[in-house]
Amino acid sequence: MTDRSLFGHIFVTGQSLLIIMPKETFHNLPEEKKSQFINTALEEFAGNNFDTASITRIVKNLGIAKGSVYQYFEDKLDLWLYLKEYCEGVKMSYVRSVSRRDYDSFWSYYRAMFRHGINFDLEQPRCSLFLYRVGFKESSRQVREYLDSWKKKANEAFMPWIEHEKKTGAFDPSVSTETIAHFLVTMSISIAELLQSRYKVDFDENIREGKPLFAADEEALMQAVDELIYLFEKSLK
Amino acid sequence: MTDRSLFGHIFVTGQSLLIIMPKETFHNLPEEKKSQFINTALEEFAGNNFDTASITRIVKNLGIAKGSVYQYFEDKLDLWLYLKEYCEGVKMSYVRSVSRRDYDSFWSYYRAMFRHGINFDLEQPRCSLFLYRVGFKESSRQVREYLDSWKKKANEAFMPWIEHEKKTGAFDPSVSTETIAHFLVTMSISIAELLQSRYKVDFDENIREGKPLFAADEEALMQAVDELIYLFEKSLK
DNA sequence: CACGATTGTGACCGACCGGTCACTTTTTGG
DNA sequence: CCAAAAAGTGACCGGTCGGTCACAATCGTG
């Protein structure tokens, strides 16, 4: 089995404003070293769950002393939280630009969100895989309280839109808003899994070799997306 | 975050015939001790991923020596594989009885499968949660090659049915069989997540306290199921 | 009962973990 | 140039892990 995908986070919006900061020591690091640290740490946490990820391996890969990590961060959890917020920020920068106002139908808007999500995956594979793991694979007790919020948020973010689309007649008003929200969020996630199984992508291998997550070209991906959106449209009309 | 659900395995059919057996030592154990061992081991592996689950904790809970485990099983992986096959067998005994021939429409058949799946969850919570973990949360390199097969199998198992329903006019023939299979399998899984978030079930807690996974009564669950099935029907018609 | 075979035991092994801290090295700025 | 402050270091700590093995207890059978 290869790790499965991502995309689930495309629709997260709420994102906390309180940025959890590492110690100033990390902040003061030259940009070059900082991004090298983030990259290496992200590689470890994208390929392992919280409990299995190893600080020892990270410092070995970086060629620095273990003590340095603890001058930058309080502990393993602090580092993990920083990486999480960092990646959420990166993701946001991809999705923020898509606004409902710029599209006349809900489904063209939905489709545009998806294309931006794919770009995020292509250009930020480590971020994307890490967030995927946080959202779907993680089950460590140490981070439990910090998980899962995004799925609820995604559901809630959809609800006002759904109510609106019901009024314009785009959505079937006899189905409860919650069920529709669940349906949309779930399918957004599942599209990525469909793409993965159809194109037989091995995310782990791509991560290890620094390649983008998807080898197939973007148009082929969007075609698969369109086929599924066709199903959604029919079911929610 | 609580662990999420299950049900995904409802539609698995293919199941290997080669039963991976523990050493005879385990086989010769009195039934009482055997089931106590399985129960305790299952509790550990239902609550932890492969890497995090601890043989040391299992023997502590059982009050036996660690060496005994290695007289019953080759190693941790052997034990895990045995538990996996054991649980798949238990699950099969719930689902095997449902046959397409006994239902005139695909959707009444689908619905019946679901009810049996819910019974499996209610009566075999540890099995169900363990299989859920194997199918959705596990990412240890040590078991990677043994994961995931069921999702492909579930997809493939659906395909002949879908082809058939296309001919009878129940399914839209313009959508590819693979996409429909993916859609059905994904939604089967997601229904459980919907139920969980709607009824705010904490699987982990229920497991620890030996309760069934769902507190809500079966009819309420089936009502939520029906609402989603209504969406599927519309989209695939 | 006796004695070989089977089963049960837990101290022990090497490996790895997150985290610490006395110490060295580098940077800063008067 | 030098001293004080900041950053970097890696041996070391206590702990947990999966797995082993010499030995003890128990069982089956003549």
Side-chain angles (χ1 to χ4, degrees):
Chain A
M1 143 142 183
T2 90
D3 261 308
R4 344 201 103 264
S5 177
L6 36 112
F7 285 59
H9 2 87
I10 289 171
F11 296 106
V12 184
T13 52
Q15 197 204 14
S16 94
L17 291 176
L18 263 186
I19 300 289
I20 290 185
M21 253 310 162
K23 302 185 184 177
E24 327 98 74
T25 332
F26 185 68
H27 195 243
N28 296 338
L29 233 48
E31 216 57 43
E32 169 68 21
K33 287 204 172 190
K34 206 153 69 176
S35 74
Q36 199 145 15
F37 184 96
I38 291 177
N39 255 303
T40 307
L42 218 43
E43 192 180 327
E44 179 70 16
F45 279 99
N48 300 90
N49 279 6
F50 183 84
D51 290 327
T52 317
S54 158
I55 305 275
T56 308
R57 271 197 300 265
I58 293 175
V59 299
K60 207 185 298 175
N61 286 337
L62 277 169
I64 65 172
K66 201 194 264 188
S68 296
V69 173
Y70 292 89
Q71 283 204 318
Y72 305 152
F73 300 91
E74 285 299 331
D75 53 21
K76 197 183 185 185
L77 177 60
D78 190 39
L79 169 57
W80 185 86
L81 284 170
Y82 173 73
L83 292 175
K84 180 167 171 282
E85 300 231 11
Y86 171 82
C87 291
E88 283 171 350
V90 173
K91 176 194 64 196
M92 281 302 294
S93 72
Y94 278 75
V95 179
R96 202 169 18 213
S97 61
V98 186
S99 163
R100 178 68 181 88
R101 279 187 299 279
D102 301 335
Y103 301 87
D104 39 65
S105 88
F106 176 83
W107 294 109
S108 58
Y109 165 61
Y110 186 93
R111 193 176 185 282
M113 292 261 263
F114 232 96
R115 179 175 285 275
H116 281 75
I118 289 181
N119 283 341
F120 172 63
D121 282 318
L122 288 172
E123 296 166 17
Q124 309 288 341
R126 268 176 301 269
C127 278
S128 182
L129 188 55
F130 173 67
L131 287 179
Y132 162 66
R133 189 176 283 280
V134 169
F136 297 100
K137 292 292 181 184
E138 191 57 75
S139 62
S140 164
R141 277 150 189 83
Q142 285 190 70
V143 296
R144 172 173 297 181
E145 55 184 310
Y146 304 104
L147 298 178
D148 172 69
S149 53
W150 83 259
K151 224 171 188 175
K152 269 183 210 134
K153 274 192 217 158
N155 263 276
E156 284 156 15
F158 263 124
M159 292 196 185
W161 286 118
I162 294 167
E163 300 280 3
H164 179 257
E165 304 293 340
K166 274 184 176 176
K167 274 174 203 144
T168 71
F171 281 2
D172 180 347
S174 78
V175 182
S176 78
T177 301
E178 285 130 4
T179 301
I180 294 179
H182 165 82
F183 186 79
L184 281 175
V185 171
T186 301
M187 293 322 290
S188 306
I189 296 158
S190 93
I191 288 178
E193 290 186 347
L194 174 67
L195 296 180
Q196 196 222 337
S197 74
R198 190 163 290 184
Y199 294 104
K200 311 221 183 322
V201 183
D202 185 334
F203 290 135
D204 270 1
E205 193 187 301
N206 291 350
I207 284 291
R208 277 196 305 274
E209 299 177 10
K211 290 193 236 161
L213 292 195
F214 287 102
D217 73 300
E218 213 169 315
E219 288 318 309
L221 297 180
M222 287 310 290
Q223 210 171 315
V225 171
D226 285 338
E227 198 175 16
L228 264 177
I229 292 184
Y230 167 72
L231 288 183
F232 304 168
E233 248 183 296
K234 265 210 298 183
S235 74
L236 293 176
K237 178 67 188 147
Chain B
M1 145 141 184
T2 91
D3 261 308
R4 344 201 104 261
S5 178
L6 33 114
F7 286 59
H9 3 87
I10 289 170
F11 296 105
V12 184
T13 51
Q15 197 203 13
S16 94
L17 291 175
L18 264 186
I19 300 287
I20 290 184
M21 254 309 163
K23 302 186 184 175
E24 327 98 75
T25 331
F26 185 68
H27 195 241
N28 296 339
L29 233 47
E31 216 57 43
E32 170 67 21
K33 287 204 173 191
K34 207 153 69 175
S35 74
Q36 198 144 17
F37 185 95
I38 292 177
N39 255 304
T40 307
L42 218 43
E43 193 180 325
E44 179 70 16
F45 279 98
N48 300 90
N49 279 6
F50 183 84
D51 290 327
T52 319
S54 158
I55 306 277
T56 309
R57 271 197 301 265
I58 293 175
V59 299
K60 207 185 298 175
N61 287 336
L62 277 169
I64 65 172
K66 201 193 265 188
S68 296
V69 173
Y70 292 89
Q71 282 205 318
Y72 304 153
F73 300 91
E74 286 298 332
D75 53 20
K76 197 183 185 184
L77 177 60
D78 191 39
L79 169 57
W80 184 86
L81 284 170
Y82 173 72
L83 292 175
K84 179 167 172 283
E85 300 230 13
Y86 171 82
C87 290
E88 283 172 350
V90 173
K91 176 196 62 196
M92 282 300 294
S93 72
Y94 278 76
V95 179
R96 202 169 20 214
S97 61
V98 186
S99 162
R100 177 68 181 87
R101 280 186 299 279
D102 301 335
Y103 302 86
D104 38 66
S105 87
F106 176 82
W107 295 108
S108 58
Y109 165 62
Y110 185 92
R111 194 176 182 281
M113 293 260 263
F114 233 95
R115 180 175 285 273
H116 282 74
I118 289 181
N119 283 341
F120 171 63
D121 282 318
L122 288 173
E123 296 166 18
Q124 308 288 342
R126 267 175 301 269
C127 279
S128 182
L129 188 54
F130 173 67
L131 287 179
Y132 162 66
R133 190 176 283 280
V134 169
F136 298 101
K137 291 293 182 182
E138 191 57 74
S139 62
S140 164
R141 276 151 191 83
Q142 285 190 71
V143 296
R144 170 172 299 182
E145 57 185 308
Y146 305 104
L147 296 179
D148 174 67
S149 54
W150 83 259
K151 222 171 189 176
K152 270 183 209 134
K153 273 193 217 155
N155 262 276
E156 284 156 15
F158 262 123
M159 292 196 184
W161 286 118
I162 294 167
E163 301 278 4
H164 179 256
E165 303 294 340
K166 274 183 176 176
K167 275 173 201 144
T168 71
F171 281 1
D172 180 348
S174 78
V175 181
S176 78
T177 300
E178 286 131 2
T179 301
I180 293 179
H182 166 81
F183 185 78
L184 281 174
V185 171
T186 301
M187 293 321 290
S188 306
I189 296 158
S190 93
I191 288 178
E193 290 186 347
L194 173 67
L195 295 180
Q196 196 222 339
S197 74
R198 190 163 289 182
Y199 294 105
K200 311 221 182 321
V201 182
D202 185 332
F203 290 135
D204 269 2
E205 194 187 301
N206 291 349
I207 284 291
R208 276 196 307 274
E209 300 177 10
K211 290 194 236 163
L213 292 197
F214 287 104
D217 74 302
E218 215 168 314
E219 288 318 309
L221 297 180
M222 287 309 291
Q223 210 172 315
V225 171
D226 285 337
E227 197 175 16
L228 263 177
I229 291 184
Y230 167 72
L231 288 183
F232 305 168
E233 249 185 293
K234 266 210 297 182
S235 75
L236 293 176
K237 179 65 190 146

